Amino acid sequence: MLILVTYDINITSPSGQKRLRKVAKRCENCGIRVQSSVFECVVDMTQYEKLKHDLLKIIDPDADSLRLYNLGDRYSTKVEHFGAKRTIRVEDTLIL
């Protein structure tokens, strides 16, 4: 299933900047950054629950915002992209 992870971390303090780096790093481990604070992740239910658990441990719920959108398995018709940034299919093999 495709999960869209969006976040807004309060970076007015050094601890906020640290949380921002941790959230981004955790999301990079399972998905592709499509905008500054937006990741697309193809995961199964176990991976989704682990990701959610990890992110909830990182954020400060009084200062930060985290949104997880489950677009399901048939997401190809639910996502449209317009603009300059090149689109990458998250389920394709990535060769480095």
Side-chain angles (χ1 to χ4, degrees):
M1 67 184 155
L2 179 67
I3 301 297
L4 190 67
V5 179
T6 67
Y7 53 88
D8 187 14
I9 307 297
N10 183 337
I11 58 168
T12 57
S13 68
S15 63
Q17 295 170 6
K18 185 176 181 180
R19 288 193 313 275
L20 178 64
R21 286 190 301 276
K22 284 184 173 184
V23 168
K25 181 72 171 171
R26 179 60 182 95
C27 290
E28 286 171 348
N29 288 337
C30 68
I32 295 172
R33 184 188 301 263
V34 293
Q35 291 187 357
S36 295
S37 297
V38 180
F39 283 81
E40 291 179 353
C41 307
V42 176
V43 295
D44 61 28
M45 188 54 74
T46 302
Q47 293 167 324
Y48 169 73
E49 290 298 331
K50 173 74 169 131
L51 174 64
K52 181 171 73 170
H53 177 264
D54 291 349
L55 293 174
L56 289 174
K57 284 176 51 178
I58 297 169
I59 69 163
D60 176 354
D62 295 325
D64 306 330
S65 173
L66 172 68
R67 290 178 177 253
L68 303 170
Y69 298 89
N70 182 343
L71 299 179
D73 292 323
R74 302 183 203 278
Y75 56 85
S76 62
T77 60
K78 297 177 185 175
V79 178
E80 292 183 283
H81 174 260
F82 306 96
K85 191 169 182 180
R86 188 169 160 253
T87 301
I88 299 172
R89 291 176 37 107
V90 293
E91 69 277 2
D92 285 350
T93 303
L94 181 61
I95 299 173
L96 300 176

